Amino acid sequence: MDKNNRVLGRMGARELTEQEVDAVQGALRVHHTLTPCFIDKQKQLLNGDQAIGECGP
Amino acid sequence: MKLIVLAPEDDNHTAPIKWALEKAGHRVVCWAGLSYTEDCQASLLINQDDTVVLGGHSVDPGDVIWVRRPELPEPNPKVSEADKKFAALEYRSFYHSLAYFLETLPVWCINRYSAARVMIQKAVQMRLARQCGLKTPSTLMSNHPATVREFFARENARTICKGFTPHVWQKEGQMSVAITETFELTADQLPSDEVLTYAPAIYQERVPKDFDIRMVLMGNQIYSYALKNTKQALDWRQDAGLGHVTAELVPTPPDVEKGVLEFARQSGLCFGSLDFGVDAQGQWWFLEINEQGQFLWIDQFNRDARLLEKFCAFVTSPQGSTLPLETRQDLFPSLAEYEELLKNEQVAPVGRPRPDDPFLSLEA
């Protein structure tokens, strides 16, 4: 990764290992999580508090 | 009366709420959003009796429309390459027509699309919150390096940085990820001016918080939960998923409740999830509101919260009702019951793959 041209938000991002991603999913009894920030590694999506179903600008 | 949910049926909040409402005898239908497929087609007829039909479901007077998370409009992929741009714009315009038109009908929209569109803007939220008497931290949104550096030069002030939207970077071929998170930053740590122009960001006075509050607004009712994070992290979101957070019901201070209800009145929002930080003096600092934020996770952390039942009571009450939701929450089954069915595969799994996630990037 070229760190010289990355955005500030990427520099401050929290790194989660694969084990931690697993832990997020495994911490809850259901096969999906309802928490405000969540990565579904099989489906590759972020299920967060914000949605952008607003249909663009 | 029926509830029309603008979201896919397998959305992680739609599915359990639809199940609970149906179990209590209410009618619920879903419309995932505008698309070329039959179940996502829509019509809007304007004549003496204006009618809207969403995926075969007519919108009738007295209906409740929960604008949960409709998907982005999707044109038919078979359209000629030469017409794709036009078709995409037409789909988008028609979707906007539908979304704004709904709130002109004699139905209850949770929330009205126009209010949601304005209030998703964090700058608007902060200003309105302050005008409504809520305490807000000093905040700069900028991509102008000199202004950013000037903000960091404030005396005796600590500063955090956060994005306007969440994002995830996944390394190609790996399952480890990096997730945007609020982080503290000092003037010395600021990158070059060039980097500050790569993406605008939100720079904010760091609230000296002892703990966080997640508040859920349902009409005139407010429920506040203290989130205690054993890791003492600045941002509790990932720690919630990792099980490091507890959620305890706490009373909302009267001045905060008054400010939030005024915020709701002025913004036009009747539902949302709000975040506050509470400092050592017990002052509540407004941080943000997500008008369709996740809230059922609190039921998983605190079984007494019963937000699923409260939400069901909320959407089946008359619009503007001031009756406490607790008086009707027993009419509905709990999230725990749904989870048991899910575990035993007695209800359909939730969350289908999406072709493209705008919040996810791959990196080398």
Side-chain angles (χ1 to χ4, degrees):
Chain A
M1 179 174 74
D2 178 2
K3 291 188 175 173
N4 295 323
N5 63 350
R6 301 305 301 266
V7 297
L8 191 55
R10 175 62 184 87
M11 296 176 193
R14 186 196 289 210
E15 306 276 350
L16 283 185
T17 63
E18 183 173 358
Q19 289 73 28
E20 285 176 312
V21 174
D22 283 340
V24 170
Q25 294 179 302
L28 301 162
R29 279 192 265 161
V30 290
H31 299 300
H32 66 291
T33 183
L34 307 163
T35 51
C37 193
F38 161 65
I39 310 302
D40 186 324
K41 69 176 189 178
Q42 281 149 358
K43 302 185 180 77
Q44 290 199 336
L45 59 88
L46 175 65
N47 198 340
D49 260 346
Q50 291 184 36
I52 53 170
E54 74 271 21
C55 195
Chain B
M1 170 287 226
K2 64 180 175 297
L3 176 72
I4 303 176
V5 188
L6 270 52
E9 279 198 29
D10 63 354
D11 166 69
N12 66 9
H13 279 53
T14 302
I17 285 164
K18 182 173 187 288
W19 165 83
L21 285 166
E22 287 176 339
K23 196 148 187 252
H26 294 276
R27 187 169 169 229
V28 183
V29 298
C30 293
W31 183 65
L34 184 63
S35 165
Y36 66 99
T37 59
E38 191 173 350
D39 58 341
C40 289
Q41 293 166 4
S43 297
L44 193 170
L45 176 65
I46 303 165
N47 59 10
Q48 284 192 333
D49 298 310
D50 298 340
T51 55
V52 175
V53 179
L54 305 173
H57 309 296
S58 67
V59 179
D60 301 315
D63 282 348
V64 177
I65 301 180
W66 178 24
V67 190
R68 163 65 184 160
R69 292 191 174 184
E71 296 190 328
L72 296 176
E74 188 183 3
N76 191 324
K78 290 182 184 169
V79 68
S80 161
E81 194 64 36
D83 297 337
K84 276 196 169 149
K85 277 190 182 174
F86 175 73
L89 286 170
E90 291 292 279
Y91 261 87
R92 184 177 139 185
S93 295
F94 181 37
Y95 175 76
H96 278 155
S97 290
L98 287 163
Y100 286 110
F101 191 78
L102 285 174
E103 60 186 71
T104 69
L105 297 175
V107 297
W108 177 22
C109 294
I110 306 171
N111 288 300
R112 284 190 293 111
Y113 189 65
S114 57
R117 289 284 286 150
V118 172
M119 295 314 300
I120 199 172
Q121 309 303 329
K122 292 184 193 297
V124 178
Q125 297 177 8
M126 298 294 291
R127 180 171 159 81
L128 182 58
R130 197 186 68 233
Q131 289 173 340
C132 292
L134 298 171
K135 198 167 177 59
T136 56
S138 178
T139 304
L140 170 71
M141 300 177 179
S142 180
N143 71 338
H144 185 254
T147 307
V148 173
R149 293 186 193 286
E150 192 180 329
F151 186 75
F152 274 79
R154 294 162 3 261
E155 280 189 23
N156 302 321
R158 295 171 72 177
T159 306
I160 57 100
C161 177
K162 58 184 178 182
F164 290 88
T165 54
H167 204 82
V168 175
W169 292 269
Q170 182 172 17
K171 287 194 169 45
E172 284 187 74
Q174 297 180 33
M175 295 318 300
S176 59
V177 298
I179 304 176
T180 46
E181 190 172 75
T182 299
F183 60 100
E184 185 162 11
L185 199 61
T186 63
D188 295 344
Q189 292 169 327
L190 279 174
S192 68
D193 285 359
E194 173 82 0
V195 170
L196 294 175
T197 67
Y198 287 164
I202 302 173
Y203 307 94
Q204 192 169 69
E205 169 190 2
R206 178 172 176 169
V207 174
K209 61 186 180 186
D210 271 9
F211 59 92
D212 289 276
I213 292 283
R214 169 52 71 99
M215 176 190 288
V216 182
L217 167 76
M218 296 185 192
N220 296 302
Q221 310 295 318
I222 287 172
Y223 304 97
S224 298
Y225 297 89
L227 306 177
K228 304 279 176 71
N229 183 341
T230 54
K231 296 278 181 184
Q232 293 289 309
L234 191 57
D235 194 334
W236 53 267
R237 284 169 174 72
Q238 284 309 316
D239 284 319
L242 291 165
H244 301 318
V245 171
T246 59
E248 177 197 347
L249 181 68
V250 293
T252 309
D255 59 327
V256 175
E257 179 166 341
K258 185 180 168 199
V260 170
L261 292 177
E262 181 60 18
F263 179 96
R265 191 187 69 76
Q266 289 195 35
S267 67
L269 298 181
C270 62
F271 174 68
S273 295
L274 298 88
D275 290 326
F276 288 83
V278 180
D279 65 22
Q281 287 72 46
Q283 297 186 103
W284 289 36
W285 296 70
F286 173 88
L287 299 176
E288 67 174 310
I289 178 170
N290 288 296
E291 60 94 25
Q292 291 298 336
Q294 311 288 69
F295 60 97
L296 290 181
W297 62 277
I298 295 174
D299 280 1
Q300 292 181 316
F301 282 61
N302 180 344
R303 291 296 175 189
D304 294 331
R306 303 183 65 187
L307 289 176
L308 182 140
E309 294 101 303
K310 288 182 176 68
F311 185 79
C312 290
F314 170 56
V315 298
T316 55
S317 297
Q319 183 177 2
S321 168
T322 55
L323 200 66
L325 300 174
E326 287 82 349
T327 59
R328 295 182 60 245
Q329 69 182 14
D330 290 341
L331 297 172
F332 305 96
S334 69
L335 182 68
E337 195 177 325
Y338 175 80
E339 288 172 326
E340 198 60 28
L341 294 174
L342 196 61
K343 197 169 77 179
N344 297 330
E345 300 182 349
Q346 292 171 282
V347 290
V350 297
R352 63 181 164 169
R354 283 163 56 175
D356 184 32
D357 189 328
F359 294 132
L360 183 94
S361 297
L362 292 177
E363 63 184 16

